Amino acid sequence: MQEYIDFIQQNMILSLVWIGLFVALIMNVVKSATSAYKEITANQVTQLMNHENGVVVDIRSKDEYRKGHITDAVHILPSEIKAGNFGSLENRKADPIIVVCKTGQTAQESANLLAKAGFEKVHMLKNGLVAWSEANMPLVRGKK
C-alpha cells in the first residue's frame, strides 16, 4: 500500500489526470443510463423506420434540410419544439421518434424536450447525419 502512496506523491499530475478520467467515465455511464432518450446507430434508425413505424425528426435549418435529409423526415426547428409546436408529430406519441441533427450535439436538447412532452419512445441518431453519411445511407435532396 505504501508503494501506491509513494507513486501518487511522486506523480501527482498523472494521478489527478487518471482520477479525472475515471470520474468522467462514471458520469458518462450514469448520464446515458438516466437520459430520457436513447442514442442509436444509422442501422437501428432504418430498423425503427421499416419495422416499427418510426418517424425521423430533422432539426437542422431549412437550407441544410434541403441539401439532404433522410427519406420521409419531418422538418421541425428546435425553436418550435421548445415552444411546444410539434405539428404532425402530436398524434404519433406512441411511435418511435428519431431526432436528427448534423453531428448529434444539438439534438440532445430537442430529444429531452420531446420525451418531457409525453413522447414515449424518443431516440437520437448518434453522431447525426455525419454517421448516416458514413454508413453510406441515402439522402433525399431538395424540397419535400
Side-chain angles (χ1 to χ4, degrees):
M1 184 62 143
Q2 184 61 34
E3 297 125 4
Y4 294 120
I5 294 171
D6 290 341
F7 178 81
I8 290 171
Q9 288 175 345
Q10 293 172 2
N11 300 292
M12 188 62 74
I13 293 175
L14 178 64
S15 300
L16 290 174
V17 168
W18 191 90
I19 290 170
L21 287 172
F22 184 71
V23 168
L25 176 67
I26 299 250
M27 290 182 67
N28 191 22
V29 169
V30 169
K31 180 184 173 191
S32 65
T34 60
S35 69
Y37 61 88
K38 180 180 176 189
E39 284 189 353
I40 58 174
T41 64
N43 290 332
Q44 291 171 313
V45 170
T46 58
Q47 288 276 1
L48 288 175
M49 289 174 65
N50 293 334
H51 300 291
E52 297 183 37
N53 202 26
V55 181
V56 174
V57 176
D58 194 321
I59 63 166
R60 297 173 302 144
S61 70
K62 285 184 180 181
D63 290 336
E64 288 177 318
Y65 181 79
R66 285 187 189 124
K67 288 179 184 175
H69 58 271
I70 297 172
T71 305
D72 296 329
V74 176
H75 183 246
I76 300 177
L77 294 173
S79 58
E80 293 172 350
I81 293 173
K82 283 181 187 175
N85 301 328
F86 305 119
S88 62
L89 290 180
E90 195 65 48
N91 58 354
R92 304 200 57 189
K93 288 195 173 191
D95 293 336
I97 305 293
I98 304 112
V99 183
V100 176
C101 67
K102 186 175 181 179
T103 61
Q105 298 300 314
T106 57
Q108 295 174 358
E109 182 181 1
S110 295
N112 274 324
L113 290 171
L114 287 169
K116 287 178 184 174
F119 290 88
E120 298 171 15
K121 303 173 189 170
V122 179
H123 305 278
M124 186 187 80
L125 176 58
K126 186 175 184 176
N127 297 326
L129 279 182
V130 171
W132 185 264
S133 296
E134 286 175 356
N136 294 320
M137 299 292 203
L139 292 174
V140 176
R141 304 207 188 279
K143 283 188 176 181
K144 179 156 191 283

